[in-house]
Amino acid sequence: AARGETVLMLDQMGGHLMDKAGIIYNATLADVLAGTAKIHDAKYVDCNEHFTAVSTGGADLDVLLGSLAALSLNYDWVFIGTSAGCTPAHTRLASAADASLLMYHGVGDKFMRAYWMLDAIRARHAKFDPLLIVQNIDAAEDNALESYELLAHTVGQFLGAAPALGGVIETPQCPKDIAPVLLEALRQESTAYNHGALKRAAG
């Protein structure tokens, strides 16, 4: 948005993204679908007029997919933060997206949730290749890299090429630090991400 490109952020994470953006809102897409609000009431424009944010409210992702597709037509960038899960709607959205980020916890065997997500989506969209983000707050740094290596090995053994490591979130400040590099990676149309730059930014 700072570069003059139009950006739409859709918050399907219970208002978490809206809160992070400092946006106070009343109407949501759930209200629009219920007929108690108009679509323009649910769009919140930031102080930068190129940035618009919408909360989906309590509406399920599968109900929202058509509305999300219609909303996205007028923007250069559309970022959708989904609730956690691996529903058919998640699979359809991931298959339709130009680029995806898949976050998982790096503690213990929780990386297997990312594996099952990849398995479910690649069964329907073989070229699904998200950047992986390891959430490793309050854990040893080795946990994150070890979990990624285990995940990459398991994916390579059973599902084909393993996705690239996009970054490790070790502190609440990390997302802000790795965001510019992730944006440049998403900007590229190919999946040839710059692994070295991403890892340095994550460090």
Side-chain angles (χ1 to χ4, degrees), residues 7-193:
V7 176
L8 174 65
M9 179 187 76
L10 292 154
D11 181 351
Q12 214 249 327
M13 300 173 70
H16 177 71
L17 296 179
M18 300 291 273
D19 292 342
K20 284 287 186 184
I23 297 173
I24 299 171
Y25 64 98
N26 293 312
T28 67
L29 279 186
D31 298 321
V32 174
L33 293 175
T36 59
K38 301 291 185 185
I39 189 65
H40 60 78
D41 297 326
K43 289 182 177 181
Y44 293 84
V45 180
D46 190 64
C47 55
N48 180 331
E49 63 184 14
H50 299 292
F51 178 71
T52 303
V54 176
S55 171
T56 62
D60 290 333
L61 186 59
D62 58 344
V63 175
L64 292 168
L65 287 180
S67 301
L68 300 184
L71 272 173
S72 70
L73 296 176
N74 298 319
Y75 295 89
D76 297 317
W77 290 87
V78 179
F79 294 94
I80 303 173
T82 65
S83 55
C86 188
T87 67
H90 283 88
T91 301
R92 288 197 299 275
L93 181 60
S95 299
D98 294 320
S100 296
L101 301 174
L102 178 58
M103 185 188 305
Y104 69 93
H105 289 277
V107 180
D109 61 356
K110 291 187 176 181
F111 71 90
M112 285 304 292
R113 294 184 182 188
Y115 173 84
W116 294 119
M117 186 80 169
L118 281 167
D119 184 33
I121 297 174
R122 283 189 177 177
R124 294 158 182 81
H125 182 62
K127 295 184 179 180
F128 179 64
D129 190 31
L131 279 173
L132 298 177
I133 310 295
V134 186
Q135 184 173 325
N136 205 52
I137 295 175
D138 297 328
E141 182 180 351
D142 291 348
N143 285 353
L145 297 179
E146 183 179 325
S147 74
Y148 172 73
E149 288 170 6
L150 286 169
L151 176 60
H153 176 74
T154 308
V155 170
Q157 190 172 9
F158 296 103
L159 302 180
L165 175 62
V168 177
I169 297 177
E170 296 174 326
T171 68
Q173 183 64 23
C174 276
K176 187 178 287 188
D177 294 338
I178 67 175
V181 183
L182 287 175
L183 181 60
E184 290 308 314
L186 293 174
R187 191 177 285 279
Q188 299 172 11
E189 292 185 357
S190 72
T191 56
Y193 299 111

